[in-house]
Amino acid sequence: MSQSPVILEVSQLTRRFGGLVAANNLNFSVRKGELLGLIGPNGAGKTTLFNLLMGLVPPSSGSIMLDGRRIDGLKPHKICRSGMVKTFQNVALFTDMTVLENVLVGGLQHLPVAQARDFAARNLERVGIAHIAGKKAADLTFPEKALVEMARALCTRPRIVLLDEVMAALNEQEMDQILTLIRSLRDQEGLTFIVIEHHMRAIMRLCERILVLSFGQMIADGTPAEVSSNPDVISAYLGTDTRLHGAQS
Ligand SMILES: Nc1ncnc2c1ncn2[C@@H]1O[C@H](COP(=O)(O)OP(=O)(O)OP(=O)(O)O)[C@@H](O)[C@H]1O
Ligand SMILES: [Mg+2]
């Protein structure tokens, strides 16, 4: 992994909301093909960091480079076009539309509708849900919704995918299916992932490296074993309802 090039570089990134510093001087880089976890207690600033990366929230200061090009200040659709996509913490599907229609939206930025439809069908196959292409989004189960989100993200032809709690409502077996999919997209296609997840066992199993946020600050950056035994990380989680235990199982 250490040989692969840096795809994303965040320097001195800060975002204030009034008196609250939701991202406090963040510095990290991500290499192509990394499976990077992003954890931290509720309100730590994880979603804010994703919003900053995607241009949905402008930074107060600092810079973000994607493939050596500065992207902070660009509009979200430009950032998406340059190869980074994010899913939403609360799945935002068009409930009256079918799965295929929801997914093809992801491709409209770079393809005409007919081709976006074909590409969407291919991506439904890629994530293993071609059989529900005609199902109304309102009727989907939680694991189906998660896979639809993945397929829609893939339709943007990303090189780096930001997943914000896509596995939140899933049981162990359903989660395993998503973990296997993420790993195979990385192994076979070299995709890079940053994954926010409260489910520690899933994140510890999937990721080779984990960043830990607490009150907007990066308090740890290391392997699963390193972060789960880091005293700062353990104390950040004490008194929260997000438990670290089971992390190394
Ligand atoms: N648009 C906003 N305006 C004001 N404050 C905000 C805004 N967005 C986020 N915040 C605040 O920034 C802090 C970080 O929020 P954020 O949603 O990034 O946390 P999180 O780590 O994603 O939490 P969770 O695990 O609950 O999803 C919180 O205190 C939140 O209230
Ligand atoms: Mg969040």
Side-chain angles (χ1 to χ4, degrees), residues 77 80-83 103-120 122-123 126 151-158:
H77 71 273
C80 190
R81 209 176 286 169
S82 44
V103 170
L104 82 80
V105 169
L108 289 177
Q109 200 160 246
H110 58 94
L111 293 169
V113 179
Q115 287 175 38
R117 186 174 289 272
D118 291 345
F119 193 46
R122 280 220 301 284
N123 281 312
R126 214 164 152 201
R152 183 162 63 175
L154 292 174
C155 277
T156 66
R157 286 198 300 220

Side-chain angles (χ1 to χ4, degrees), residues 47 89 164-165:
T47 298
Q89 180 162 1
D164 196 349
E165 297 196 41

Side-chain angles (χ1 to χ4, degrees), residues 6-222:
V6 169
I7 185 167
L8 183 72
E9 186 148 31
V10 168
S11 307
Q12 299 182 314
L13 187 66
T14 294
R15 170 66 205 201
R16 294 186 193 85
F17 293 113
L20 179 91
V21 193
N24 193 347
N25 191 28
L26 302 179
N27 295 283
F28 64 94
S29 55
V30 183
R31 291 184 179 278
K32 182 177 181 300
E34 264 198 290
L35 295 176
L36 182 64
L38 178 59
I39 67 170
N42 291 115
K46 305 178 297 294
T47 298
T48 299
L49 174 55
F50 274 11
N51 287 340
L52 286 162
L53 295 177
M54 290 307 302
L56 294 163
V57 162
S60 302
S61 58
S63 69
I64 304 165
M65 311 273 278
L66 180 63
D67 276 332
R69 257 187 70 220
R70 202 153 165 186
I71 58 160
D72 52 281
L74 295 185
K75 293 266 186 300
H77 71 273
K78 286 261 167 64
I79 294 176
C80 190
R81 209 176 286 169
S82 44
M84 185 154 63
V85 69
K86 123 174 164 63
T87 63
F88 286 85
Q89 180 162 1
N90 297 305
V91 175
L93 297 174
F94 301 106
T95 49
D96 285 344
M97 289 170 28
T98 65
V99 164
L100 183 71
E101 288 162 347
N102 267 282
V103 170
L104 82 80
V105 169
L108 289 177
Q109 200 160 246
H110 58 94
L111 293 169
V113 179
Q115 287 175 38
R117 186 174 289 272
D118 291 345
F119 193 46
R122 280 220 301 284
N123 281 312
L124 289 179
E125 264 169 41
R126 214 164 152 201
V127 307
I129 52 168
H131 58 288
I132 58 161
K135 199 168 174 180
K136 280 266 184 300
D139 301 328
L140 296 175
T141 63
F142 284 118
E144 286 171 346
K145 276 186 191 164
L147 291 165
V148 170
E149 275 275 325
M150 290 286 288
R152 183 162 63 175
L154 292 174
C155 277
T156 66
R157 286 198 300 220
R159 283 166 297 128
I160 173 160
V161 182
L162 313 179
L163 300 176
D164 196 349
E165 297 196 41
V166 286
M167 292 172 270
L170 309 188
N171 66 32
E172 295 277 328
Q173 197 188 343
E174 293 159 351
M175 214 178 294
D176 280 346
Q177 193 190 349
I178 304 271
L179 295 179
T180 304
L181 172 65
I182 294 170
R183 224 174 271 122
S184 77
L185 288 167
R186 191 281 296 269
D187 292 345
Q188 288 164 24
E189 309 184 29
L191 282 186
T192 305
F193 286 89
I194 309 180
V195 182
I196 297 177
E197 201 55 59
H198 279 300
H199 195 289
M200 290 302 160
R201 206 172 69 85
I203 209 99
M204 299 278 166
R205 275 173 52 206
L206 177 72
C207 299
E208 293 124 356
R209 177 182 160 213
I210 296 174
L211 306 179
V212 189
L213 287 179
S214 176
F215 295 108
Q217 297 207 20
M218 185 84 69
I219 59 167
D221 174 350

